[in-house]
PDB file of all heavy atoms in Angstrom:
ATOM      1  N   GLU P   1      94.699  65.911 134.392  1.00 86.00           N
ATOM      2  CA  GLU P   1      95.436  67.125 134.561  1.00 86.00           C
ATOM      3  C   GLU P   1      94.629  68.324 133.992  1.00 86.00           C
ATOM      4  O   GLU P   1      94.626  69.368 134.523  1.00 86.00           O
ATOM      5  CB  GLU P   1      96.789  67.076 133.884  1.00 86.00           C
ATOM      6  CG  GLU P   1      97.815  66.197 134.582  1.00 86.00           C
ATOM      7  CD  GLU P   1      99.043  65.975 133.739  1.00 86.00           C
ATOM      8  OE1 GLU P   1      98.970  65.948 132.480  1.00 86.00           O
ATOM      9  OE2 GLU P   1     100.188  65.836 134.321  1.00 86.00           O
ATOM     10  N   THR P   2      93.921  68.035 132.840  1.00 88.00           N
ATOM     11  CA  THR P   2      93.119  69.064 132.184  1.00 88.00           C
ATOM     12  C   THR P   2      92.033  69.497 133.143  1.00 88.00           C
ATOM     13  O   THR P   2      91.688  70.712 133.279  1.00 88.00           O
ATOM     14  CB  THR P   2      92.625  68.557 130.836  1.00 88.00           C
ATOM     15  OG1 THR P   2      93.622  68.304 129.999  1.00 88.00           O
ATOM     16  CG2 THR P   2      91.722  69.559 130.212  1.00 88.00           C
ATOM     17  N   ALA P   3      91.327  68.528 133.685  1.00 89.00           N
ATOM     18  CA  ALA P   3      90.212  68.833 134.633  1.00 89.00           C
ATOM     19  C   ALA P   3      90.696  69.680 135.853  1.00 89.00           C
ATOM     20  O   ALA P   3      90.056  70.619 136.268  1.00 89.00           O
ATOM     21  CB  ALA P   3      89.553  67.569 135.099  1.00 89.00           C
ATOM     22  N   GLU P   4      91.871  69.247 136.403  1.00 88.00           N
ATOM     23  CA  GLU P   4      92.421  70.034 137.532  1.00 88.00           C
ATOM     24  C   GLU P   4      92.804  71.413 137.147  1.00 88.00           C
ATOM     25  O   GLU P   4      92.567  72.373 137.868  1.00 88.00           O
ATOM     26  CB  GLU P   4      93.636  69.268 138.085  1.00 88.00           C
ATOM     27  CG  GLU P   4      93.277  67.996 138.771  1.00 88.00           C
ATOM     28  CD  GLU P   4      94.531  67.120 139.058  1.00 88.00           C
ATOM     29  OE1 GLU P   4      95.654  67.560 138.694  1.00 88.00           O
ATOM     30  OE2 GLU P   4      94.386  66.079 139.804  1.00 88.00           O
ATOM     31  N   PHE P   5      93.342  71.579 135.907  1.00 87.00           N
ATOM     32  CA  PHE P   5      93.758  72.895 135.436  1.00 87.00           C
ATOM     33  C   PHE P   5      92.504  73.812 135.215  1.00 87.00           C
ATOM     34  O   PHE P   5      92.565  74.966 135.537  1.00 87.00           O
ATOM     35  CB  PHE P   5      94.585  72.785 134.167  1.00 87.00           C
ATOM     36  CG  PHE P   5      95.295  74.065 133.900  1.00 87.00           C
ATOM     37  CD1 PHE P   5      96.627  74.300 134.407  1.00 87.00           C
ATOM     38  CD2 PHE P   5      94.810  75.058 133.108  1.00 87.00           C
ATOM     39  CE1 PHE P   5      97.318  75.464 134.188  1.00 87.00           C
ATOM     40  CE2 PHE P   5      95.463  76.248 132.846  1.00 87.00           C
ATOM     41  CZ  PHE P   5      96.729  76.430 133.440  1.00 87.00           C
ATOM     42  N   THR P   6      91.492  73.251 134.731  1.00 88.00           N
ATOM     43  CA  THR P   6      90.222  74.015 134.544  1.00 88.00           C
ATOM     44  C   THR P   6      89.718  74.551 135.833  1.00 88.00           C
ATOM     45  O   THR P   6      89.368  75.732 135.951  1.00 88.00           O
ATOM     46  CB  THR P   6      89.140  73.139 133.921  1.00 88.00           C
ATOM     47  OG1 THR P   6      89.607  72.625 132.595  1.00 88.00           O
ATOM     48  CG2 THR P   6      87.871  73.902 133.616  1.00 88.00           C
ATOM     49  N   GLY P   7      89.695  73.741 136.865  1.00 90.00           N
ATOM     50  CA  GLY P   7      89.301  74.245 138.163  1.00 90.00           C
ATOM     51  C   GLY P   7      90.200  75.282 138.724  1.00 90.00           C
ATOM     52  O   GLY P   7      89.816  76.201 139.357  1.00 90.00           O
ATOM     53  N   PHE P   8      91.515  75.094 138.473  1.00 89.00           N
ATOM     54  CA  PHE P   8      92.528  76.079 138.840  1.00 89.00           C
ATOM     55  C   PHE P   8      92.293  77.441 138.259  1.00 89.00           C
ATOM     56  O   PHE P   8      92.331  78.454 138.940  1.00 89.00           O
ATOM     57  CB  PHE P   8      93.928  75.529 138.493  1.00 89.00           C
ATOM     58  CG  PHE P   8      95.051  76.514 138.708  1.00 89.00           C
ATOM     59  CD1 PHE P   8      95.294  77.047 139.963  1.00 89.00           C
ATOM     60  CD2 PHE P   8      95.872  76.873 137.696  1.00 89.00           C
ATOM     61  CE1 PHE P   8      96.320  77.905 140.196  1.00 89.00           C
ATOM     62  CE2 PHE P   8      96.907  77.722 137.884  1.00 89.00           C
ATOM     63  CZ  PHE P   8      97.151  78.270 139.099  1.00 89.00           C
ATOM     64  N   VAL P   9      91.981  77.459 136.982  1.00 90.00           N
ATOM     65  CA  VAL P   9      91.632  78.730 136.250  1.00 90.00           C
ATOM     66  C   VAL P   9      90.461  79.475 136.946  1.00 90.00           C
ATOM     67  O   VAL P   9      90.446  80.663 137.141  1.00 90.00           O
ATOM     68  CB  VAL P   9      91.456  78.524 134.773  1.00 90.00           C
ATOM     69  CG1 VAL P   9      90.904  79.819 134.106  1.00 90.00           C
ATOM     70  CG2 VAL P   9      92.734  78.078 134.106  1.00 90.00           C
ATOM     71  N   GLN P  10      89.473  78.700 137.203  1.00 90.00           N
ATOM     72  CA  GLN P  10      88.288  79.265 137.897  1.00 90.00           C
ATOM     73  C   GLN P  10      88.628  79.800 139.262  1.00 90.00           C
ATOM     74  O   GLN P  10      88.094  80.908 139.679  1.00 90.00           O
ATOM     75  CB  GLN P  10      87.212  78.185 138.019  1.00 90.00           C
ATOM     76  CG  GLN P  10      86.610  77.756 136.679  1.00 90.00           C
ATOM     77  CD  GLN P  10      85.753  76.586 136.755  1.00 90.00           C
ATOM     78  OE1 GLN P  10      85.976  75.664 137.523  1.00 90.00           O
ATOM     79  NE2 GLN P  10      84.602  76.520 136.001  1.00 90.00           N
ATOM     80  N   ARG P  11      89.478  79.166 139.997  1.00 89.00           N
ATOM     81  CA  ARG P  11      89.949  79.643 141.306  1.00 89.00           C
ATOM     82  C   ARG P  11      90.714  80.889 141.152  1.00 89.00           C
ATOM     83  O   ARG P  11      90.650  81.833 142.030  1.00 89.00           O
ATOM     84  CB  ARG P  11      90.741  78.641 142.084  1.00 89.00           C
ATOM     85  CG  ARG P  11      89.941  77.429 142.564  1.00 89.00           C
ATOM     86  CD  ARG P  11      90.652  76.681 143.595  1.00 89.00           C
ATOM     87  NE  ARG P  11      91.994  76.227 143.215  1.00 89.00           N
ATOM     88  CZ  ARG P  11      92.191  75.119 142.515  1.00 89.00           C
ATOM     89  NH1 ARG P  11      91.194  74.347 142.132  1.00 89.00           N
ATOM     90  NH2 ARG P  11      93.498  74.823 142.196  1.00 89.00           N
ATOM     91  N   LEU P  12      91.549  81.060 140.098  1.00 89.00           N
ATOM     92  CA  LEU P  12      92.343  82.309 139.917  1.00 89.00           C
ATOM     93  C   LEU P  12      91.395  83.508 139.765  1.00 89.00           C
ATOM     94  O   LEU P  12      91.753  84.538 140.286  1.00 89.00           O
ATOM     95  CB  LEU P  12      93.169  82.181 138.635  1.00 89.00           C
ATOM     96  CG  LEU P  12      94.374  81.221 138.678  1.00 89.00           C
ATOM     97  CD1 LEU P  12      95.061  81.218 137.323  1.00 89.00           C
ATOM     98  CD2 LEU P  12      95.372  81.685 139.773  1.00 89.00           C
ATOM     99  N   ARG P  13      90.288  83.276 139.087  1.00 90.00           N
ATOM    100  CA  ARG P  13      89.339  84.364 138.933  1.00 90.00           C
ATOM    101  C   ARG P  13      88.613  84.717 140.259  1.00 90.00           C
ATOM    102  O   ARG P  13      88.523  85.896 140.629  1.00 90.00           O
ATOM    103  CB  ARG P  13      88.259  83.966 137.900  1.00 90.00           C
ATOM    104  CG  ARG P  13      87.371  85.224 137.495  1.00 90.00           C
ATOM    105  CD  ARG P  13      85.899  84.968 138.018  1.00 90.00           C
ATOM    106  NE  ARG P  13      85.269  83.765 137.384  1.00 90.00           N
ATOM    107  CZ  ARG P  13      84.598  83.801 136.239  1.00 90.00           C
ATOM    108  NH1 ARG P  13      84.431  84.978 135.587  1.00 90.00           N
ATOM    109  NH2 ARG P  13      84.048  82.760 135.706  1.00 90.00           N
ATOM    110  N   THR P  14      88.229  83.682 141.011  1.00 90.00           N
ATOM    111  CA  THR P  14      87.416  83.960 142.254  1.00 90.00           C
ATOM    112  C   THR P  14      88.360  84.321 143.430  1.00 90.00           C
ATOM    113  O   THR P  14      88.045  85.280 144.148  1.00 90.00           O
ATOM    114  CB  THR P  14      86.628  82.779 142.606  1.00 90.00           C
ATOM    115  OG1 THR P  14      87.469  81.602 142.735  1.00 90.00           O
ATOM    116  CG2 THR P  14      85.536  82.456 141.548  1.00 90.00           C
ATOM    117  N   GLU P  15      89.527  83.620 143.567  1.00 88.00           N
ATOM    118  CA  GLU P  15      90.289  83.907 144.774  1.00 88.00           C
ATOM    119  C   GLU P  15      91.378  84.970 144.557  1.00 88.00           C
ATOM    120  O   GLU P  15      91.668  85.713 145.464  1.00 88.00           O
ATOM    121  CB  GLU P  15      91.046  82.556 145.156  1.00 88.00           C
ATOM    122  CG  GLU P  15      90.039  81.467 145.553  1.00 88.00           C
ATOM    123  CD  GLU P  15      90.776  80.135 145.814  1.00 88.00           C
ATOM    124  OE1 GLU P  15      91.997  80.180 145.921  1.00 88.00           O
ATOM    125  OE2 GLU P  15      90.088  79.109 145.917  1.00 88.00           O
ATOM    126  N   GLN P  16      91.824  85.061 143.326  1.00 87.00           N
ATOM    127  CA  GLN P  16      92.926  86.099 143.050  1.00 87.00           C
ATOM    128  C   GLN P  16      92.354  87.358 142.320  1.00 87.00           C
ATOM    129  O   GLN P  16      93.080  88.270 142.014  1.00 87.00           O
ATOM    130  CB  GLN P  16      94.032  85.442 142.212  1.00 87.00           C
ATOM    131  CG  GLN P  16      94.680  84.263 142.782  1.00 87.00           C
ATOM    132  CD  GLN P  16      95.404  84.579 144.087  1.00 87.00           C
ATOM    133  OE1 GLN P  16      96.153  85.455 144.076  1.00 87.00           O
ATOM    134  NE2 GLN P  16      95.132  83.768 145.125  1.00 87.00           N
ATOM    135  N   GLU P  17      91.050  87.279 142.055  1.00 89.00           N
ATOM    136  CA  GLU P  17      90.349  88.402 141.292  1.00 89.00           C
ATOM    137  C   GLU P  17      91.056  88.749 140.027  1.00 89.00           C
ATOM    138  O   GLU P  17      91.199  89.969 139.718  1.00 89.00           O
ATOM    139  CB  GLU P  17      90.264  89.667 142.253  1.00 89.00           C
ATOM    140  CG  GLU P  17      89.496  89.360 143.574  1.00 89.00           C
ATOM    141  CD  GLU P  17      89.312  90.574 144.448  1.00 89.00           C
ATOM    142  OE1 GLU P  17      90.074  91.585 144.193  1.00 89.00           O
ATOM    143  OE2 GLU P  17      88.499  90.500 145.345  1.00 89.00           O
ATOM    144  N   LEU P  18      91.419  87.735 139.290  1.00 93.00           N
ATOM    145  CA  LEU P  18      92.075  87.928 138.029  1.00 93.00           C
ATOM    146  C   LEU P  18      91.025  87.858 136.858  1.00 93.00           C
ATOM    147  O   LEU P  18      90.019  87.178 136.924  1.00 93.00           O
ATOM    148  CB  LEU P  18      93.079  86.807 137.783  1.00 93.00           C
ATOM    149  CG  LEU P  18      94.505  87.030 138.398  1.00 93.00           C
ATOM    150  CD1 LEU P  18      95.342  85.785 138.201  1.00 93.00           C
ATOM    151  CD2 LEU P  18      95.173  88.251 137.866  1.00 93.00           C
ATOM    152  N   THR P  19      91.384  88.585 135.808  1.00 96.00           N
ATOM    153  CA  THR P  19      90.653  88.428 134.533  1.00 96.00           C
ATOM    154  C   THR P  19      91.526  87.478 133.664  1.00 96.00           C
ATOM    155  O   THR P  19      92.751  87.659 133.714  1.00 96.00           O
ATOM    156  CB  THR P  19      90.486  89.802 133.902  1.00 96.00           C
ATOM    157  OG1 THR P  19      89.770  90.670 134.785  1.00 96.00           O
ATOM    158  CG2 THR P  19      89.709  89.726 132.620  1.00 96.00           C
ATOM    159  N   VAL P  20      90.925  86.660 132.946  1.00 96.00           N
ATOM    160  CA  VAL P  20      91.725  85.650 132.120  1.00 96.00           C
ATOM    161  C   VAL P  20      91.270  85.645 130.719  1.00 96.00           C
ATOM    162  O   VAL P  20      90.075  85.603 130.402  1.00 96.00           O
ATOM    163  CB  VAL P  20      91.426  84.174 132.760  1.00 96.00           C
ATOM    164  CG1 VAL P  20      92.312  83.172 131.990  1.00 96.00           C
ATOM    165  CG2 VAL P  20      91.887  84.154 134.257  1.00 96.00           C
ATOM    166  N   LEU P  21      92.281  85.605 129.825  1.00 96.00           N
ATOM    167  CA  LEU P  21      92.036  85.393 128.384  1.00 96.00           C
ATOM    168  C   LEU P  21      92.781  84.116 127.985  1.00 96.00           C
ATOM    169  O   LEU P  21      93.986  83.954 128.299  1.00 96.00           O
ATOM    170  CB  LEU P  21      92.615  86.534 127.574  1.00 96.00           C
ATOM    171  CG  LEU P  21      92.557  86.318 126.022  1.00 96.00           C
ATOM    172  CD1 LEU P  21      91.117  86.143 125.545  1.00 96.00           C
ATOM    173  CD2 LEU P  21      93.163  87.555 125.289  1.00 96.00           C
ATOM    174  N   LEU P  22      92.037  83.246 127.413  1.00 94.00           N
ATOM    175  CA  LEU P  22      92.573  81.823 127.167  1.00 94.00           C
ATOM    176  C   LEU P  22      92.502  81.469 125.692  1.00 94.00           C
ATOM    177  O   LEU P  22      91.472  81.678 125.045  1.00 94.00           O
ATOM    178  CB  LEU P  22      91.611  80.916 127.989  1.00 94.00           C
ATOM    179  CG  LEU P  22      91.835  79.443 128.144  1.00 94.00           C
ATOM    180  CD1 LEU P  22      92.968  79.154 129.100  1.00 94.00           C
ATOM    181  CD2 LEU P  22      90.459  78.788 128.661  1.00 94.00           C
ATOM    182  N   ILE P  23      93.655  81.004 125.143  1.00 92.00           N
ATOM    183  CA  ILE P  23      93.616  80.317 123.907  1.00 92.00           C
ATOM    184  C   ILE P  23      93.595  78.819 124.232  1.00 92.00           C
ATOM    185  O   ILE P  23      94.494  78.331 124.912  1.00 92.00           O
ATOM    186  CB  ILE P  23      94.886  80.614 123.042  1.00 92.00           C
ATOM    187  CG1 ILE P  23      94.884  82.039 122.542  1.00 92.00           C
ATOM    188  CG2 ILE P  23      94.917  79.630 121.795  1.00 92.00           C
ATOM    189  CD1 ILE P  23      96.065  82.424 121.739  1.00 92.00           C
ATOM    190  N   GLU P  24      92.638  78.092 123.641  1.00 89.00           N
ATOM    191  CA  GLU P  24      92.505  76.680 124.074  1.00 89.00           C
ATOM    192  C   GLU P  24      91.827  75.911 122.898  1.00 89.00           C
ATOM    193  O   GLU P  24      90.887  76.353 122.295  1.00 89.00           O
ATOM    194  CB  GLU P  24      91.672  76.578 125.285  1.00 89.00           C
ATOM    195  CG  GLU P  24      91.487  75.184 125.868  1.00 89.00           C
ATOM    196  CD  GLU P  24      92.759  74.455 126.103  1.00 89.00           C
ATOM    197  OE1 GLU P  24      93.616  74.901 126.939  1.00 89.00           O
ATOM    198  OE2 GLU P  24      93.097  73.522 125.338  1.00 89.00           O
ATOM    199  N   HIS P  25      92.375  74.653 122.662  1.00 85.00           N
ATOM    200  CA  HIS P  25      91.822  73.824 121.601  1.00 85.00           C
ATOM    201  C   HIS P  25      90.796  72.826 122.182  1.00 85.00           C
ATOM    202  O   HIS P  25      89.917  72.336 121.516  1.00 85.00           O
ATOM    203  CB  HIS P  25      92.865  73.094 120.894  1.00 85.00           C
ATOM    204  CG  HIS P  25      93.463  73.761 119.704  1.00 85.00           C
ATOM    205  ND1 HIS P  25      94.714  74.221 119.636  1.00 85.00           N
ATOM    206  CD2 HIS P  25      92.878  74.135 118.521  1.00 85.00           C
ATOM    207  CE1 HIS P  25      94.977  74.828 118.457  1.00 85.00           C
ATOM    208  NE2 HIS P  25      93.807  74.804 117.781  1.00 85.00           N
ATOM    209  N   ASP P  26      90.979  72.541 123.471  1.00 85.00           N
ATOM    210  CA  ASP P  26      90.041  71.542 124.114  1.00 85.00           C
ATOM    211  C   ASP P  26      88.753  72.241 124.385  1.00 85.00           C
ATOM    212  O   ASP P  26      88.533  73.078 125.267  1.00 85.00           O
ATOM    213  CB  ASP P  26      90.678  71.086 125.421  1.00 85.00           C
ATOM    214  CG  ASP P  26      89.940  69.870 126.064  1.00 85.00           C
ATOM    215  OD1 ASP P  26      88.688  69.880 125.927  1.00 85.00           O
ATOM    216  OD2 ASP P  26      90.611  69.075 126.706  1.00 85.00           O
ATOM    217  N   MET P  27      87.735  71.830 123.543  1.00 84.00           N
ATOM    218  CA  MET P  27      86.395  72.505 123.658  1.00 84.00           C
ATOM    219  C   MET P  27      85.662  72.180 124.967  1.00 84.00           C
ATOM    220  O   MET P  27      84.819  72.985 125.445  1.00 84.00           O
ATOM    221  CB  MET P  27      85.487  72.043 122.523  1.00 84.00           C
ATOM    222  CG  MET P  27      85.891  72.623 121.168  1.00 84.00           C
ATOM    223  SD  MET P  27      85.876  74.480 121.176  1.00 84.00           S
ATOM    224  CE  MET P  27      87.630  74.881 121.309  1.00 84.00           C
ATOM    225  N   LYS P  28      86.050  71.096 125.606  1.00 86.00           N
ATOM    226  CA  LYS P  28      85.428  70.797 126.922  1.00 86.00           C
ATOM    227  C   LYS P  28      85.918  71.852 127.950  1.00 86.00           C
ATOM    228  O   LYS P  28      85.128  72.318 128.790  1.00 86.00           O
ATOM    229  CB  LYS P  28      85.863  69.414 127.398  1.00 86.00           C
ATOM    230  CG  LYS P  28      85.112  68.938 128.665  1.00 86.00           C
ATOM    231  CD  LYS P  28      85.436  67.455 128.947  1.00 86.00           C
ATOM    232  CE  LYS P  28      84.682  66.977 130.188  1.00 86.00           C
ATOM    233  NZ  LYS P  28      84.997  65.600 130.533  1.00 86.00           N
ATOM    234  N   VAL P  29      87.179  72.203 127.853  1.00 90.00           N
ATOM    235  CA  VAL P  29      87.744  73.276 128.740  1.00 90.00           C
ATOM    236  C   VAL P  29      87.037  74.581 128.413  1.00 90.00           C
ATOM    237  O   VAL P  29      86.569  75.283 129.276  1.00 90.00           O
ATOM    238  CB  VAL P  29      89.263  73.400 128.553  1.00 90.00           C
ATOM    239  CG1 VAL P  29      89.793  74.635 129.370  1.00 90.00           C
ATOM    240  CG2 VAL P  29      89.948  72.098 129.048  1.00 90.00           C
ATOM    241  N   VAL P  30      87.004  74.932 127.164  1.00 89.00           N
ATOM    242  CA  VAL P  30      86.422  76.200 126.701  1.00 89.00           C
ATOM    243  C   VAL P  30      84.983  76.334 127.223  1.00 89.00           C
ATOM    244  O   VAL P  30      84.549  77.355 127.773  1.00 89.00           O
ATOM    245  CB  VAL P  30      86.481  76.359 125.208  1.00 89.00           C
ATOM    246  CG1 VAL P  30      85.695  77.589 124.668  1.00 89.00           C
ATOM    247  CG2 VAL P  30      87.939  76.532 124.803  1.00 89.00           C
ATOM    248  N   MET P  31      84.140  75.296 126.939  1.00 88.00           N
ATOM    249  CA  MET P  31      82.793  75.392 127.335  1.00 88.00           C
ATOM    250  C   MET P  31      82.557  75.332 128.784  1.00 88.00           C
ATOM    251  O   MET P  31      81.538  75.917 129.335  1.00 88.00           O
ATOM    252  CB  MET P  31      82.017  74.194 126.648  1.00 88.00           C
ATOM    253  CG  MET P  31      82.059  74.252 125.071  1.00 88.00           C
ATOM    254  SD  MET P  31      81.472  75.810 124.408  1.00 88.00           S
ATOM    255  CE  MET P  31      82.237  75.811 122.810  1.00 88.00           C
ATOM    256  N   GLY P  32      83.518  74.729 129.518  1.00 89.00           N
ATOM    257  CA  GLY P  32      83.323  74.614 130.941  1.00 89.00           C
ATOM    258  C   GLY P  32      83.763  75.804 131.773  1.00 89.00           C
ATOM    259  O   GLY P  32      83.241  76.029 132.863  1.00 89.00           O
ATOM    260  N   VAL P  33      84.667  76.624 131.220  1.00 92.00           N
ATOM    261  CA  VAL P  33      85.223  77.720 132.033  1.00 92.00           C
ATOM    262  C   VAL P  33      84.918  79.086 131.588  1.00 92.00           C
ATOM    263  O   VAL P  33      85.068  80.040 132.305  1.00 92.00           O
ATOM    264  CB  VAL P  33      86.777  77.514 132.109  1.00 92.00           C
ATOM    265  CG1 VAL P  33      87.448  77.979 130.818  1.00 92.00           C
ATOM    266  CG2 VAL P  33      87.364  78.155 133.324  1.00 92.00           C
ATOM    267  N   SER P  34      84.487  79.259 130.288  1.00 94.00           N
ATOM    268  CA  SER P  34      84.439  80.601 129.699  1.00 94.00           C
ATOM    269  C   SER P  34      83.051  81.320 129.968  1.00 94.00           C
ATOM    270  O   SER P  34      82.017  80.702 129.923  1.00 94.00           O
ATOM    271  CB  SER P  34      84.604  80.517 128.193  1.00 94.00           C
ATOM    272  OG  SER P  34      85.761  79.771 127.865  1.00 94.00           O
ATOM    273  N   ASP P  35      83.141  82.586 130.248  1.00 95.00           N
ATOM    274  CA  ASP P  35      81.949  83.440 130.187  1.00 95.00           C
ATOM    275  C   ASP P  35      81.599  83.830 128.745  1.00 95.00           C
ATOM    276  O   ASP P  35      80.422  83.972 128.434  1.00 95.00           O
ATOM    277  CB  ASP P  35      82.250  84.688 131.006  1.00 95.00           C
ATOM    278  CG  ASP P  35      82.536  84.460 132.466  1.00 95.00           C
ATOM    279  OD1 ASP P  35      81.814  83.714 133.122  1.00 95.00           O
ATOM    280  OD2 ASP P  35      83.569  84.968 132.946  1.00 95.00           O
ATOM    281  N   ARG P  36      82.629  84.084 127.960  1.00 94.00           N
ATOM    282  CA  ARG P  36      82.378  84.412 126.596  1.00 94.00           C
ATOM    283  C   ARG P  36      83.512  83.831 125.691  1.00 94.00           C
ATOM    284  O   ARG P  36      84.634  83.635 126.211  1.00 94.00           O
ATOM    285  CB  ARG P  36      82.464  85.960 126.437  1.00 94.00           C
ATOM    286  CG  ARG P  36      81.841  86.439 125.119  1.00 94.00           C
ATOM    287  CD  ARG P  36      81.842  87.941 124.995  1.00 94.00           C
ATOM    288  NE  ARG P  36      83.210  88.426 124.777  1.00 94.00           N
ATOM    289  CZ  ARG P  36      83.618  89.675 125.097  1.00 94.00           C
ATOM    290  NH1 ARG P  36      82.730  90.474 125.705  1.00 94.00           N
ATOM    291  NH2 ARG P  36      84.855  90.071 124.867  1.00 94.00           N
ATOM    292  N   VAL P  37      83.138  83.622 124.453  1.00 94.00           N
ATOM    293  CA  VAL P  37      84.080  82.932 123.521  1.00 94.00           C
ATOM    294  C   VAL P  37      84.076  83.801 122.186  1.00 94.00           C
ATOM    295  O   VAL P  37      82.983  84.172 121.690  1.00 94.00           O
ATOM    296  CB  VAL P  37      83.605  81.494 123.161  1.00 94.00           C
ATOM    297  CG1 VAL P  37      84.590  80.867 122.176  1.00 94.00           C
ATOM    298  CG2 VAL P  37      83.515  80.680 124.425  1.00 94.00           C
ATOM    299  N   THR P  38      85.282  84.014 121.723  1.00 94.00           N
ATOM    300  CA  THR P  38      85.475  84.770 120.446  1.00 94.00           C
ATOM    301  C   THR P  38      86.158  83.763 119.509  1.00 94.00           C
ATOM    302  O   THR P  38      87.128  83.108 119.934  1.00 94.00           O
ATOM    303  CB  THR P  38      86.342  86.032 120.651  1.00 94.00           C
ATOM    304  OG1 THR P  38      85.646  86.903 121.487  1.00 94.00           O
ATOM    305  CG2 THR P  38      86.591  86.718 119.293  1.00 94.00           C
TER     306      THR P  38
END
């Protein structure tokens, strides 16, 4: 489910032209999907 959701977030950016801010504890998700991390 986590892997599917990560791909879903990427599609929201590309297909829906959305900007996304994410709070996330799963570092695999953070490192896989983020342009920048604070």
Side-chain angles (χ1 to χ4, degrees):
E1 289 173 328
T2 296
E4 290 171 354
F5 195 88
T6 301
F8 172 57
V9 172
Q10 291 170 322
R11 290 197 305 277
L12 288 178
R13 188 248 297 268
T14 56
E15 297 174 11
Q16 303 296 311
E17 299 182 347
L18 278 175
T19 304
V20 180
L21 174 60
L22 186 73
I23 291 178
E24 183 55 66
H25 271 115
D26 189 325
M27 288 301 102
K28 188 173 182 181
V29 173
V30 170
M31 298 303 159
V33 78
S34 308
D35 299 308
R36 196 179 72 204
V37 180
T38 298

